[in-house]
Amino acid sequence: MRRDISIVLVFVLLSACTPRVETPAPPLEAAAVAAPLVTSWTFSTDQIFPSDRSLMRPEDGVVLDDGRVVVADQAFGLRAISADGTSVPFGKFAEAGYRHESPSFSAGPNGVSFEPDRQHILIADIYTGSIWRVNARDQSTALLHQHEFGANSAECDTSGALWFTQSTTNRAGPDSEAGMFAAIDQPTPDGALYRIDLPGADGADGAPVQVVGGLNFANGLAIDEKRGALYIAETNGNRVIAYTLDPVTGALGGERNLARVMTPDNLKLDEDGMLWVASPARNEIIVINPDTGEARSVFRAATSDNDRLAAEWERRFDAGEPLISLMTPELWAPMPGLATSVILTPGNGPVYIGTLGDALVKLDR
């Protein structure tokens, strides 16, 4: 049975992350350019979307060409939300073997991203280590890779390689969620970045190769081939890290701190090449110019409770004290949950904020 599963995984990987040929990217050290102006917002409760708050841990998502927002959903894997707020399960996850049977076996769909072709969607599960691939046209779903520990975010590059982050060494099962939060409570340097080549390409066997280790809760991931760069959010390092990237060979180098951000979570590049990052502890969205490292806050749901708890979070972090007891509703209220990601609509459409709660926040621009 295990041999059969391996054969299926290899077949899926062979057909995954379809490569495309592009002109080589300029290096990360390219001349700085002025950042395009980005709208700023303040929070109001009428931005909560959908208003019936019917979602289940919509950590991250993407926007389809027809305008529907597809978000992570703990019960079904993914959920598609229409403009009127109605939503339905998206993807044939149950047929592919997905299950969420809390508390004995909790799934945690987390990072959601398009492949370069914008036809396929990747979903990384932070509790089970499964990385799923969904065809956005027919909703067929396949298990692309099964990692031994939880997988936070996954991206494909244009060579066809799969990259993903591991936040900590939590294994699927009843203790996986607790293991993940333990790594937030006390910084643990067991986060990592992995890369998988296509099986059969230049002798590659499809096995994951750790390319970066020793990270304190590796989180969001973004590949910037135009600049020849790769970015990682290190949540318990309070920083976004930049590496130089050779998009042909996958070689990384030149690690540097791109920006200091408190508890950075998911990362998204916009159409102008600016990097958006969510800060859960501050209920904040920040836009970074990767050429200069300049970081600008464009959204924050500020309250006196959040100000107090965020300041205490930073004090405890600096003192090496436990953090998780600060994750109470006062940290994120009146938001529907901690801000975890930015979901960008192409063509200057709405910006959605993913959360760990029961709804998104919709920002018009």
Side-chain angles (χ1 to χ4, degrees):
M1 179 65 178
R2 292 184 62 85
R3 176 178 173 80
D4 293 341
I5 292 173
S6 298
I7 292 171
V8 170
L9 285 173
V10 169
F11 174 78
V12 171
L13 275 165
L14 278 167
S15 63
C17 302
T18 306
R20 69 185 185 201
V21 177
E22 290 192 346
T23 303
L28 186 62
E29 292 80 8
V33 295
L37 293 176
V38 178
T39 303
S40 295
W41 301 268
T42 55
F43 175 75
S44 63
T45 54
D46 61 3
Q47 296 166 336
I48 294 175
F49 179 80
S51 58
D52 64 2
R53 304 181 66 150
S54 56
L55 307 182
M56 191 171 181
R57 199 181 179 276
E59 162 91 15
D60 194 13
V62 295
V63 179
L64 301 179
D65 292 341
D66 63 11
R68 286 180 298 163
V69 189
V70 173
V71 296
D73 183 89
Q74 198 166 26
F76 298 105
L78 288 177
R79 182 169 281 273
I81 314 165
S82 298
D84 63 2
T86 59
S87 64
V88 294
F90 189 88
K92 301 172 183 176
F93 279 84
E95 294 178 15
Y98 177 88
R99 63 189 179 105
H100 171 63
E101 300 167 358
S102 183
S104 62
F105 189 90
S106 290
N110 202 76
V112 181
S113 66
F114 272 125
E115 291 182 18
D117 64 4
R118 285 188 59 86
Q119 178 182 336
H120 296 91
I121 303 171
L122 296 174
I123 304 93
D125 193 308
I126 198 168
Y127 295 159
T128 69
S130 300
I131 298 177
W132 303 94
R133 185 183 195 236
V134 177
N135 187 315
R137 294 177 183 171
D138 63 15
Q139 299 191 40
S140 58
T141 302
L143 179 63
L144 189 58
H145 175 67
Q146 181 58 58
H147 190 52
E148 64 176 323
F149 304 118
N152 188 303
S153 296
E155 295 270 347
C156 274
D157 64 27
T158 56
S159 78
L162 173 69
W163 302 75
F164 66 93
T165 53
Q166 165 195 297
S167 293
T168 186
T169 52
N170 59 319
R171 296 183 185 274
D175 299 323
S176 182
E177 184 174 3
M180 183 205 72
F181 279 111
I184 295 175
D185 193 37
Q186 290 277 8
T188 307
D190 58 358
L193 172 69
Y194 288 84
R195 182 179 186 271
I196 303 177
D197 275 315
L198 285 174
D202 298 323
D205 61 3
V209 176
Q210 182 177 307
V211 291
V212 178
L215 298 175
N216 286 304
F217 209 90
N219 204 315
L221 168 67
I223 297 171
D224 188 351
E225 294 191 28
K226 290 183 178 179
R227 289 186 176 89
L230 181 147
Y231 314 113
I232 296 177
E234 188 182 24
T235 302
N236 269 356
N238 285 342
R239 62 177 182 158
V240 176
I241 312 169
Y243 301 86
T244 57
L245 167 68
D246 184 325
V248 177
T249 66
L252 290 186
E255 175 184 315
R256 66 184 176 93
N257 292 342
L258 178 63
R260 187 184 189 281
V261 176
M262 188 175 179
T263 62
D265 204 308
N266 285 294
L267 304 176
K268 286 290 193 301
L269 280 166
D270 68 18
E271 293 170 301
D272 294 315
M274 298 297 103
L275 187 65
W276 297 58
V277 55
S279 169
R282 284 179 53 83
N283 274 334
E284 188 170 28
I285 303 300
I286 294 160
V287 177
I288 303 170
N289 182 344
D291 294 312
T292 64
E294 177 189 5
R296 187 165 75 89
S297 177
V298 297
F299 172 89
R300 182 156 184 243
T303 66
S304 58
D305 283 333
N306 178 262
D307 284 340
R308 173 178 55 82
L309 291 170
E312 177 62 9
W313 187 292
E314 192 150 27
R315 186 201 68 77
R316 291 189 188 185
F317 177 86
D318 291 340
E321 298 175 5
L323 299 165
I324 209 69
S325 63
L326 299 176
M327 288 183 67
T328 66
E330 284 126 344
L331 185 63
W332 60 81
M335 291 269 287
L338 290 172
T340 55
S341 70
V342 178
I343 305 167
L344 300 170
T345 304
N348 214 36
V351 172
Y352 300 89
I353 299 175
T355 76
L356 289 183
D358 53 16
L360 306 172
V361 173
K362 180 180 179 182
L363 308 174
D364 292 317
R365 54 176 175 167

